[in-house]
Amino acid sequence: MCAAVYVLSTVTGYVLTSALLLKCPNLLHRRKRETFLSRHISHRGGAGENLENTMTAFKHAVDLGTDMLELDCHLTKDEQVVVSHDTNLQRVCGVEADISSMTYAELPPYLCKLGVTFQKECFCEGGEDKRIPLLRDVFDAFPNTPINIDIKVNNNTLIKKVSELVVKYDRENLTVWGNSSNQIVKKCYKENPQIPVLFSLPRVLQLLGLFYTGLLPFVPLKEQFLEIPMPSIITKLQDPSRLTRSQRFVAWLADTLLMRKSLFQHLTARGIQVYIWVLNDEEDFQRAFELGATGVMTDFPTMLKEFMDRNGISKAQ
């Protein structure tokens, strides 16, 4: 009887303490310092309105008032840091070669028309700017714009050179970097702990485990940004009738587990920004902001801006 009372009181105390700290995490954790806050994030510069990862796309998004540019980095044969998503150039340039096998001068231009990855049956036709830019070109052109860098390959030289560029342009307080790979994120953090990092995929899974066991409020977190997809958008990227029952179940389960308002509120109270990607219609914009996401990442920055203006969603300060 005494043992049962002890166990019950211990469990009750744990549950109540966990619930309290989930709501009020600053009782235990010091809030992380936020040097910028991003509500409107342009994925690859806005891949649905201009050719992805081009200076034209980035300029259009910045002129529109985006809070953040999201881009991807690779390293060329002559060790230049370039902004492009794919390791291989076939999809974007029509050339069967890896970026790492060519010098910067040898890189071909982008194709005239590229598919928009996160929009079903959608293509974007570009203008004159089809050049793969250097990361330093982006830093030069937009010195005051926060930039979200996806380190696309596990390459020590790439990580080191990106860090050197960030330091050279005094952008440690305007940059976030990382990858879904935990190994890459660990290397980024080790190379320069002053640049905020993203949660990797394994860390996202660990985060969910901590959240659902009630342990999250007790655990310190080094990451400052959570970037996650909205799993339900899979039904908009593929014909729902072609999805198997198991695929629909997995999408529903992932969406149910990830899209949790209480989780987002806890993280943002700790100074960890939550970004949801890649959303390309107003229904998903609305849902993301209602769930408490800090920002939305989109291929259509004009659409997101108009939605935010129309619904009185405040810009980042």
Short mmCIF file of all heavy atoms in Angstrom, two decimals, residues 2-14:
data_model
loop_
_atom_site.label_atom_id
_atom_site.label_comp_id
_atom_site.label_asym_id
_atom_site.label_seq_id
_atom_site.Cartn_x
_atom_site.Cartn_y
_atom_site.Cartn_z
N CYS A 2 1.88 1.26 0.89
CA CYS A 2 2.78 2.42 0.97
C CYS A 2 3.53 2.62 -0.33
O CYS A 2 3.74 3.75 -0.79
CB CYS A 2 3.77 2.23 2.12
SG CYS A 2 2.99 2.32 3.75
N ALA A 3 3.96 1.49 -0.94
CA ALA A 3 4.69 1.56 -2.20
C ALA A 3 3.80 2.15 -3.29
O ALA A 3 4.25 2.98 -4.11
CB ALA A 3 5.18 0.18 -2.61
N ALA A 4 2.53 1.74 -3.31
CA ALA A 4 1.61 2.24 -4.33
C ALA A 4 1.38 3.74 -4.16
O ALA A 4 1.35 4.49 -5.14
CB ALA A 4 0.29 1.49 -4.23
N VAL A 5 1.25 4.17 -2.93
CA VAL A 5 1.06 5.60 -2.65
C VAL A 5 2.29 6.39 -3.09
O VAL A 5 2.19 7.47 -3.68
CB VAL A 5 0.76 5.83 -1.15
CG1 VAL A 5 0.79 7.32 -0.83
CG2 VAL A 5 -0.57 5.22 -0.78
N TYR A 6 3.48 5.83 -2.79
CA TYR A 6 4.73 6.49 -3.17
C TYR A 6 4.83 6.63 -4.69
O TYR A 6 5.16 7.71 -5.20
CB TYR A 6 5.92 5.68 -2.64
CG TYR A 6 7.25 6.22 -3.11
CD1 TYR A 6 7.81 7.36 -2.54
CD2 TYR A 6 7.94 5.57 -4.13
CE1 TYR A 6 9.02 7.86 -2.98
CE2 TYR A 6 9.16 6.06 -4.58
CZ TYR A 6 9.70 7.20 -4.00
OH TYR A 6 10.89 7.69 -4.45
N VAL A 7 4.54 5.54 -5.40
CA VAL A 7 4.62 5.57 -6.87
C VAL A 7 3.61 6.57 -7.43
O VAL A 7 3.93 7.37 -8.31
CB VAL A 7 4.36 4.16 -7.45
CG1 VAL A 7 4.20 4.25 -8.97
CG2 VAL A 7 5.51 3.22 -7.11
N LEU A 8 2.39 6.53 -6.89
CA LEU A 8 1.35 7.43 -7.37
C LEU A 8 1.72 8.89 -7.15
O LEU A 8 1.55 9.74 -8.03
CB LEU A 8 0.02 7.11 -6.68
CG LEU A 8 -1.18 7.97 -7.11
CD1 LEU A 8 -1.46 7.79 -8.60
CD2 LEU A 8 -2.41 7.60 -6.27
N SER A 9 2.25 9.18 -5.95
CA SER A 9 2.61 10.56 -5.65
C SER A 9 3.78 11.02 -6.51
O SER A 9 3.83 12.18 -6.94
CB SER A 9 2.95 10.70 -4.17
OG SER A 9 4.06 9.89 -3.82
N THR A 10 4.72 10.10 -6.76
CA THR A 10 5.87 10.44 -7.60
C THR A 10 5.44 10.73 -9.03
O THR A 10 5.86 11.72 -9.64
CB THR A 10 6.90 9.29 -7.60
OG1 THR A 10 7.34 9.05 -6.26
CG2 THR A 10 8.10 9.63 -8.48
N VAL A 11 4.59 9.86 -9.58
CA VAL A 11 4.11 10.04 -10.95
C VAL A 11 3.29 11.33 -11.06
O VAL A 11 3.44 12.10 -12.01
CB VAL A 11 3.26 8.83 -11.39
CG1 VAL A 11 2.56 9.12 -12.72
CG2 VAL A 11 4.14 7.59 -11.53
N THR A 12 2.44 11.56 -10.06
CA THR A 12 1.63 12.78 -10.07
C THR A 12 2.51 14.03 -10.03
O THR A 12 2.29 15.00 -10.76
CB THR A 12 0.66 12.79 -8.88
OG1 THR A 12 -0.18 11.64 -8.94
CG2 THR A 12 -0.20 14.05 -8.88
N GLY A 13 3.53 13.99 -9.17
CA GLY A 13 4.46 15.12 -9.07
C GLY A 13 5.19 15.36 -10.37
O GLY A 13 5.36 16.51 -10.81
N TYR A 14 5.61 14.25 -11.02
CA TYR A 14 6.31 14.36 -12.31
C TYR A 14 5.40 14.97 -13.37
O TYR A 14 5.80 15.89 -14.11
CB TYR A 14 6.78 12.98 -12.76
CG TYR A 14 7.26 12.93 -14.19
CD1 TYR A 14 8.47 13.50 -14.57
CD2 TYR A 14 6.48 12.32 -15.19
CE1 TYR A 14 8.90 13.46 -15.89
CE2 TYR A 14 6.90 12.28 -16.50
CZ TYR A 14 8.12 12.84 -16.85
OH TYR A 14 8.53 12.81 -18.16
#
